[in-house]
Amino acid sequence: MNTGARPAIDDAGLRERFAGELLRPEDAGYDAARAIWNGAIDRRPGLIARCSGTADVIAAVRFARERNLLVAVRGGGHNVAGTAVCDGGLVIDLSAMKGIRVDPAAGRAWAQPGVLWGELDHETQAFGLATTGGVVTHTGISGLTLGGGIGWLHRKHGLTVDNLLSADVVTADGRLLMASEDENPDLFWGLRGGGGNFGIVTSFEYRLHPVGPTVLAGPIFFSLDDAPKVIRFYRDFIASVPDEYMSVLNLRRAPAVPFIPEELHGEPVITVVSFFAGSIEAGEELVRPLRRVATPLVDLLEPKPYVMHQSMFNPTVPHGWHYYWKSQELAELTDGVVEVLLEHTRRITSPLSYTIIFQLGGAMSRVEEDATACSHRGLGHNVNVNSVWTPDDRDAEAHIAWARDFHADLERHGPGAVYVNFLGDEGHDRVVAAYGEAKYERLVALKRKYDPQNAFRLNQNINPEG
């Protein structure tokens, strides 16, 4: 926890060319502006530049370059590592840039970097359209897109980066570039999975697909005692499902949310959350065996609005709680993996912590590995171990140790791969693991071209020094 005061950055030279709001440590609204989703992060920047548009972003980047300032870039502020805010430096805050335009006839949407997934879904679902987004709607589109983008639609329509058609990018030297397959294609390649290393995106163009607006989706809760047979059935079940089916497994104590009966709150459960991007009838036929694998505690798999499903788990990950993540990508859920999952779920230290296992494959796996910077497309599962606790919980070290021990045991069963959006502050080797050594070297060369001074380094950093 950082409670010390930080000196303000003199904004002379920026204020006269900046249309948005500039917040210094003594200003009203400063503390609210520096707060991000992960309440465990408490940093005090010297200046927050809340941009109103691309011209403000260019001005802020040039100002930081002139003053040699440490720069953090904030979109949705949802990254677990807290890289959206810094101590002592300049936060280039994009959260007020909320413009969205949808062309339903062309199946396209353009969105600015402060947009959240729930906001984009609201606009596109007015036309029965969507693109692959996150599974929590208060996640920002910027960070999720630039890191790859898994969500309920990635098996049917590919990752978010597979649906990114172009981007407007402010580079470290203050230029505005268009990146697409036809214009600056090397930069476009790096943006699709390379995170915020190569510039600040001020506009995203997405491909949209017909989705819903009503889909078959939702969780089935089983007792944790049934987990061994549920997981073993599940891994056989998903081996032959069509691309329209996407799912996650969740192991935890049942959260105290309104859609779960109160008598189950706090009980150890395994949840299979299904999503079907096809007809309701075909989905109902497909999931029928899943409902019979054991006696459900609660079955909430039903037709519902797509936007309702997208936001269903928002209450389990609110702003301000403390979060610590460890993640691993696996080829399959072997018996050894199942033993690790059950052992550590039984040893959980916080009633708010959980493990979520994303089903991969489908359309995302059929994109060539080198087509984008996003890696490990051939693996079957992403396992994300989430330690979660409230600000008044004094057992943070125990909760963090639980996640680290859990991950250490998982690592023995996988290739060492990790999804870059699920990395915390874990160092150089884990960033390399997110890409593989060959792809990382290609990203280093790109970083040298577009950001040789590593101005954009508060991220899962690709160091131009290699």
Side-chain angles (χ1 to χ4, degrees):
M1 214 38 128
N2 177 9
T3 56
R6 291 274 174 172
I9 293 171
D10 182 358
D11 59 21
L14 176 60
R15 187 168 292 277
E16 61 269 22
R17 47 182 162 145
F18 196 84
E21 185 179 19
L22 295 174
L23 292 167
R24 295 153 59 95
E26 66 271 19
D27 291 336
Y30 169 83
D31 282 330
R34 70 183 181 87
I36 56 176
W37 170 73
N38 186 355
I41 307 298
D42 183 19
R43 297 177 184 146
R44 303 185 66 85
L47 182 66
I48 300 172
R50 181 161 284 167
C51 301
S52 64
T54 299
D56 280 355
V57 176
I58 293 172
V61 168
R62 290 177 177 173
F63 175 76
R65 185 181 177 91
E66 292 160 5
R67 301 292 187 91
N68 194 29
L69 298 174
L70 178 66
V71 171
V73 181
R74 175 180 182 148
H78 209 278
N79 180 269
V80 71
T83 54
V85 66
C86 59
D87 274 325
L90 172 68
V91 172
I92 300 179
D93 184 348
L94 313 173
S95 62
M97 296 175 65
K98 294 282 194 181
I100 301 171
R101 181 168 72 88
V102 179
D103 182 342
R108 301 287 184 269
W110 292 260
Q112 290 185 306
V115 171
L116 307 181
W117 278 110
E119 295 165 341
L120 184 60
D121 288 337
H122 174 74
E123 296 296 327
T124 61
Q125 277 289 280
F127 309 99
L129 300 170
T131 196
T132 306
V135 298
V136 172
T137 60
H138 51 69
T139 305
I141 66 169
S142 294
L144 188 137
T145 298
L146 295 173
I150 61 177
W152 297 112
L153 295 171
H154 66 240
R155 284 181 43 80
K156 176 62 175 176
H157 297 301
L159 300 171
T160 310
V161 292
D162 303 329
N163 294 283
L164 184 66
L165 298 174
S166 70
D168 294 343
V169 189
V170 177
T171 56
D173 56 2
R175 292 179 296 155
L176 177 65
L177 299 178
M178 167 76 80
S180 68
E181 292 285 6
D182 299 321
E183 194 169 352
N184 299 303
D186 60 340
L187 177 59
F188 188 54
W189 178 87
L191 291 174
R192 289 176 293 165
N197 275 282
F198 307 108
I200 300 175
V201 176
T202 59
S203 179
F204 297 87
E205 180 189 3
Y206 296 107
R207 179 188 296 112
L208 302 177
H209 307 274
V211 175
T214 299
V215 295
L216 180 70
I220 304 175
F221 293 83
F222 301 96
S223 168
L224 192 68
D225 292 339
D226 290 323
K229 64 181 176 182
V230 169
I231 298 176
R232 291 184 176 106
F233 173 84
Y234 168 83
R235 70 187 180 191
D236 293 335
F237 172 74
I238 63 172
S240 59
V241 294
D243 292 355
E244 286 80 5
Y245 181 82
M246 158 59 188
S247 61
V248 301
L249 293 179
N250 193 245
L251 294 95
R252 62 174 304 154
R253 297 180 189 173
V257 292
F259 56 81
I260 297 177
E262 189 172 349
E263 63 268 20
L264 294 180
H265 292 178
E267 291 298 311
V269 294
I270 180 169
T271 309
V272 183
V273 189
S274 297
F275 176 90
F276 192 74
S279 75
I280 302 298
E281 295 76 17
E284 292 279 16
E285 180 65 25
L286 180 71
V287 301
R288 187 170 289 115
L290 191 58
R291 290 182 148 129
R292 296 197 299 256
V293 63
T295 302
L297 299 174
V298 187
D299 185 343
L300 300 176
L301 175 53
E302 60 190 359
K304 65 177 66 171
Y306 172 73
V307 292
M308 180 183 292
H309 182 68
Q310 279 281 81
S311 61
M312 186 174 191
F313 296 101
N314 288 6
T316 67
V317 284
H319 285 75
W321 284 0
H322 292 195
Y323 300 90
Y324 179 87
W325 291 1
K326 296 289 285 186
S327 187
Q328 183 74 201
E329 295 195 312
L330 304 175
E332 55 185 329
L333 301 177
T334 64
D335 287 347
V337 170
V338 174
E339 290 174 7
V340 170
L341 293 172
L342 297 180
E343 175 189 351
H344 288 278
T345 299
R346 294 186 183 107
R347 289 165 43 189
I348 208 163
T349 58
S350 167
L352 304 177
S353 297
Y354 61 92
T355 303
I356 186 168
I357 304 164
F358 293 86
Q359 178 192 4
L360 304 179
M364 63 161 284
S365 67
R366 293 192 291 273
V367 175
E368 290 293 328
E369 180 70 20
D370 290 333
T372 68
C374 193
S375 299
H376 313 308
R377 289 177 177 271
L379 295 176
H381 305 275
N382 181 291
V383 183
N384 194 18
V385 180
N386 289 236
S387 277
V388 187
W389 62 100
T390 58
D392 58 355
D393 187 327
R394 301 304 177 205
D395 291 326
E397 291 185 7
H399 306 324
I400 291 170
W402 172 78
R404 288 175 173 169
D405 292 345
F406 195 155
H407 179 258
D409 284 348
L410 275 178
E411 273 192 310
R412 302 187 182 101
H413 298 273
V418 63
Y419 173 41
V420 70
N421 276 346
F422 288 168
L423 280 174
D425 184 8
E426 300 179 46
H428 170 80
D429 289 348
R430 288 280 281 165
V431 177
V432 175
Y435 301 106
E437 291 188 9
K439 189 173 285 189
Y440 182 79
E441 288 305 314
R442 183 176 173 183
L443 288 164
V444 167
L446 198 65
K447 181 76 168 179
R448 288 183 187 136
K449 177 178 178 180
Y450 287 101
D451 185 15
Q453 303 304 315
N454 207 10
F456 301 121
R457 61 184 179 273
L458 289 184
N459 44 43
Q460 299 303 336
N461 192 232
I462 297 161
N463 194 313
E465 300 300 319

